[in-house]
Amino acid sequence: MVDPGGAPPPIEHGDPHDLRDLFDNAPCGYLSTLPDGTITTVNATLLGWLGRGREELVGRLRFADLLTFGGKVFHETHFAPLLRMGGEVREIAFEISAADGRRLPVLVNAAVRAGADGEPRLVRITLLDATHRRAYEQELLRARQEADRERDAVERERARLQRLTEILQRTLLPPSLPPVPGLDAAAHYHVASSDRVGGDFYDLFPITPDRWGVFLGDVCGKGPDAAVLTSAARYTLRSAAAHVGDPAAVLANLNDVLLQQVHTDRMRFCTAVFGVLTRDGDGFTAVLASGGHPPPLLTRADGGVHELTTPGGQLIGVFPDVRVVTTTTRLGPGDTLLLYSDGLIEARGADGGMFGEQCLSELATAFPGRTAAAIADDLIARLTAYAPKATDDTAILVLTVPSAEPG
């Protein structure tokens, strides 16, 4: 069955000389083997790739002998079994060894030709030069590896910036609220962006043994500039509270400080609510001043909800003679005072609607009898459910006078 001359299989139709030339000089390698792999026919193209003569292969070597060591192993464990079971295999990647030691990547297609009795008689094998494909794949691999390295570097830098942002954010907020006799207090800061410092701020601090300062504000913008302004605002409010008793005068002092700051090409300002709580029997007298900030919400022990409006209060850090309005109220047992930034009421849901003041007022009716922490947690949970992709930070500060009787 071996053809020492290496002639292609008999051709029934066409000019045999033209067909032989087509076979011998095709742009791909052809060979035929017996079922045991012994080479019976090989074309000139494949011989040229291998740098060998026809007499070195035909009847002497098997197809597997042309492969590299790894290819031989793969041939025995995968290629040959697949060929026996399915009768053909397609586009199997191998490397063949040339006489000079070079390795040529090829894609191999093989099909079994059976005799009249159905038994395998011949295996026809086609080899396609995959040199350019291999180079292309290697280039793609290098490009992918480089992209992976760049992505990893970006992710590491992003993680580093996030850690720095978190650290900076923590320095702009009190680590915890101090205990105030007769008052239950809780705060929460919902950060919209993990890689940009927010501009909301709040604090609760003692002024005298029976007087406490409280404030919540929102600086225009985000990032480093906003962080600088936030730090200045917090320091100024705490410092002014120790020397100026009137909340309106405290905000006016903050206005003067912000106007003296070195401004960039963008105006920097803030809104803020500042209050003084004075112990008054079983509760507190609260004097609150507001500069352009959403009005605090007061929920009475009976569930009644009231906005502590300060009409006409102007933004802090814009006008030299800022107008600041105050309001006074009393917090008795069971009453709750809520300070918040506009990120709460202006959060937009999937339908484009805002969380809104009406929704907040409805939620506030359920405040009585609950702890400050429970109220804060519930508000943030409601906000997150309504607007999971909120784009603005939200700060809330809850002050509750516990009821005289539990529940």
Side-chain angles (χ1 to χ4, degrees), residues 74-354:
F74 188 80
H75 178 277
E76 296 303 320
T77 58
H78 292 79
F79 182 87
L82 288 173
L83 189 60
R84 285 195 296 270
M85 289 187 295
E88 67 175 8
V89 292
R90 293 185 178 277
E91 295 193 351
I92 302 297
F94 282 113
E95 284 187 331
I96 57 176
S97 297
D100 60 4
R102 289 181 300 107
R103 293 184 172 189
L104 177 67
V106 293
L107 288 178
V108 174
N109 295 294
V112 176
R113 297 293 297 272
D117 57 1
E119 291 298 318
R121 290 290 182 265
L122 201 66
V123 178
R124 296 279 175 80
I125 301 176
T126 303
L127 298 89
L128 303 175
D129 185 350
T131 302
H132 295 298
R133 173 170 172 166
R134 174 69 59 83
Y136 175 68
E137 290 174 344
Q138 289 175 342
E139 184 60 31
L140 284 180
L141 179 60
R142 284 193 295 271
R144 179 175 179 178
Q145 291 172 339
E146 181 62 27
D148 289 343
R149 286 192 292 270
E150 291 179 357
R151 184 176 63 251
D152 291 343
V154 169
E155 289 300 323
R156 287 194 298 271
E157 181 63 15
R158 180 183 178 85
R160 187 183 72 86
L161 290 176
Q162 286 182 347
R163 289 194 298 270
L164 292 176
T165 299
E166 291 169 0
I167 293 171
L168 178 57
Q169 190 76 71
R170 287 196 296 269
T171 66
L172 300 176
L173 299 172
S176 62
L177 298 179
V180 178
L183 188 70
D184 181 22
H188 203 298
Y189 196 170
H190 179 75
V191 181
S193 174
S194 61
D195 54 5
R196 297 189 66 187
V197 180
D200 293 3
F201 58 93
Y202 61 84
D203 207 350
L204 176 65
F205 57 96
I207 300 174
T208 66
D210 61 348
R211 296 174 70 241
W212 296 79
V214 59
F215 60 78
L216 188 146
D218 184 1
V219 166
C220 171
K222 297 181 184 296
D225 289 346
V228 171
L229 203 62
T230 298
S231 179
R234 290 188 69 248
Y235 174 80
T236 300
L237 289 173
R238 288 184 66 114
S239 177
H243 301 91
V244 182
D246 179 27
V250 171
L251 287 185
N253 184 270
L254 174 61
N255 187 72
D256 292 340
V257 170
L258 295 188
L259 288 175
Q260 293 171 11
Q261 296 288 315
V262 177
H263 291 288
T264 61
D265 57 341
R266 292 178 294 176
M267 182 177 292
R268 291 298 182 185
F269 58 88
C270 73
T271 66
V273 172
F274 181 88
V276 174
L277 306 178
T278 304
R279 190 60 193 256
D280 178 12
D282 59 357
F284 294 83
T285 296
V287 181
L288 302 169
S290 176
H293 200 80
L297 211 59
L298 174 63
T299 302
R300 294 299 185 186
D302 61 4
V305 180
H306 310 275
E307 283 189 349
L308 300 181
T309 58
T310 51
Q314 296 174 331
L315 296 174
I316 306 299
V318 177
F319 304 104
D321 298 318
V322 64
R323 182 173 186 270
V324 179
V325 182
T326 62
T327 185
T328 302
T329 189
R330 187 177 189 278
L331 302 179
D335 293 346
T336 298
L337 180 65
L338 171 65
L339 279 63
Y340 59 92
S341 61
D342 58 9
L344 178 60
I345 56 176
E346 294 181 1
R348 293 190 177 274
D351 60 355
M354 290 196 299

